[in-house]
Amino acid sequence: EVDPAITDDNMTALKIDKHLYLKFWELQEFFRCPYKCYDKEKFKIFAAYSKEVLAAFKSFKLEETGAQDGRDDSNNFFAKFLTNPKLLSLQIGDSNFRRTILVQYLILFQYLVSTVKFKGENDKLSTAQEEWVREMEGTVYTLLNEIPPNGKQFSKSIKHILKREELWNNWKNDGCKEITRPEGHDKKVAEPKKRKLAGDLIKEATKNGKFDLGNGELSRLWNLCPDNLQACKG
């Protein structure tokens, strides 16, 4: 939960004011319960808060730091982010934190405009709201592209994952129909080649005065001189 014991004074040094801090963390309620955005008044709050947060992201660009100061970020894992007001300015400057927030936006946006089987009749956006979502989606992708390292590659991967999720959602909406091949597609699938048994391979190699060690490179090296004694002399 948001720490209520904050004042404008202890936020000034961090260049993050109290209002931005509160709005930033209150957005998590919308990410947690996306259906709240279908309420007109709550959508206005979500849009207003998002406008300020994304503007803060735009104004604070992250810079490429070469080899990431020698750190290996491949094993980073955050079970839960801390909400201490003194940390927010540092968190916004962290690429993993920023990506987490922006990807949450993309997941939420996709949910809001998608047709989902179990949604209620009133769970839909107005035309103006949908336009706003599409515009903000473009803004979020632009921000993702700018986050080092490999911003564009990361953004492309997220877009691909969400596209797969869209196809999966449509398949479920259609009642999980059996997947069929397109008309005209050759239905005959080539059978996989059967691998020879190890014993048969060894027998065949022995007939030819060779050795088969089960590995192409090892077999090649061993067969340079199949006679052990002769190899030792060499």
Side-chain angles (χ1 to χ4, degrees):
E1 294 183 0
V2 175
D3 185 353
I6 60 174
T7 65
D8 286 324
D9 291 334
N10 64 10
M11 300 298 286
T12 303
L14 302 171
K15 298 180 181 179
I16 301 288
D17 62 33
K18 181 177 85 172
H19 300 292
L20 181 61
Y21 166 78
L22 292 171
K23 291 172 182 177
F24 180 87
W25 286 113
E26 284 178 16
L27 282 171
Q28 287 297 318
E29 183 64 17
F30 293 100
F31 295 143
R32 188 177 68 87
C33 305
Y35 55 82
K36 290 186 176 183
C37 290
Y38 292 121
D39 181 283
K40 291 182 179 180
E41 294 305 315
K42 289 181 179 178
F43 184 89
K44 288 180 182 178
I45 295 173
F46 170 71
Y49 289 5
S50 296
K51 183 178 179 181
E52 290 192 39
V53 168
L54 294 178
F57 280 17
K58 281 183 183 179
S59 65
F60 183 24
K61 303 286 187 182
L62 301 185
E63 296 182 1
E64 183 72 58
T65 57
Q68 294 295 298
D69 302 324
R71 296 174 297 170
D72 179 10
D73 292 336
S74 60
N75 295 319
N76 280 353
F77 175 74
F78 300 95
K80 185 177 181 180
F81 287 111
L82 300 175
T83 58
N84 189 303
K86 295 180 180 179
L87 296 176
L88 186 56
S89 64
L90 297 174
Q91 290 171 325
I92 288 180
D94 179 82
S95 60
N96 287 299
F97 180 87
R98 190 176 289 207
R99 280 174 171 170
T100 298
I101 301 301
L102 293 176
V103 170
Q104 281 183 307
Y105 266 112
L106 293 175
I107 293 171
L108 173 61
F109 290 158
Q110 179 159 302
Y111 173 83
L112 292 177
V113 299
S114 296
T115 300
V116 181
K117 205 170 186 179
F118 56 81
K119 279 186 181 179
E121 293 182 3
N122 297 324
D123 292 343
K124 56 184 178 181
L125 301 179
S126 67
T127 303
Q129 289 172 332
E130 282 199 26
E131 289 178 358
W132 181 88
V133 166
R134 298 299 185 191
E135 181 183 347
M136 288 300 102
E137 186 179 44
T139 298
V140 169
Y141 273 117
T142 298
L143 289 170
L144 278 176
N145 287 339
E146 296 173 350
I147 298 176
N150 306 319
K152 290 183 178 180
Q153 183 180 347
F154 180 86
S155 179
K156 183 179 179 181
S157 298
I158 293 300
K159 189 175 291 187
H160 177 72
I161 291 169
L162 291 176
K163 182 62 180 178
R164 291 294 299 270
E165 177 63 22
E166 181 185 345
L167 295 173
W168 174 256
N169 179 64
N170 292 338
W171 178 68
K172 289 189 288 185
N173 286 340
D174 292 336
C176 305
K177 294 180 180 179
E178 183 179 354
I179 298 174
T180 56
R181 293 178 179 275
E183 291 184 8
H185 191 282
D186 186 4
K187 295 182 179 180
K188 190 174 181 180
V189 180
E191 293 184 2
K193 292 181 179 179
K194 291 184 179 180
R195 295 183 62 181
K196 291 184 179 180
L197 297 175
D200 293 336
L201 291 172
I202 293 172
K203 286 180 182 178
E204 186 177 333
T206 302
K207 278 184 181 179
N208 298 320
K210 302 286 184 182
F211 290 94
D212 189 328
L213 304 184
N215 177 282
E217 186 61 17
L218 286 177
S219 297
R220 184 189 69 81
L221 291 171
W222 195 270
N223 285 296
L224 290 176
C225 190
D227 188 313
N228 281 338
L229 290 177
Q230 189 62 36
C232 289
K233 289 180 181 179

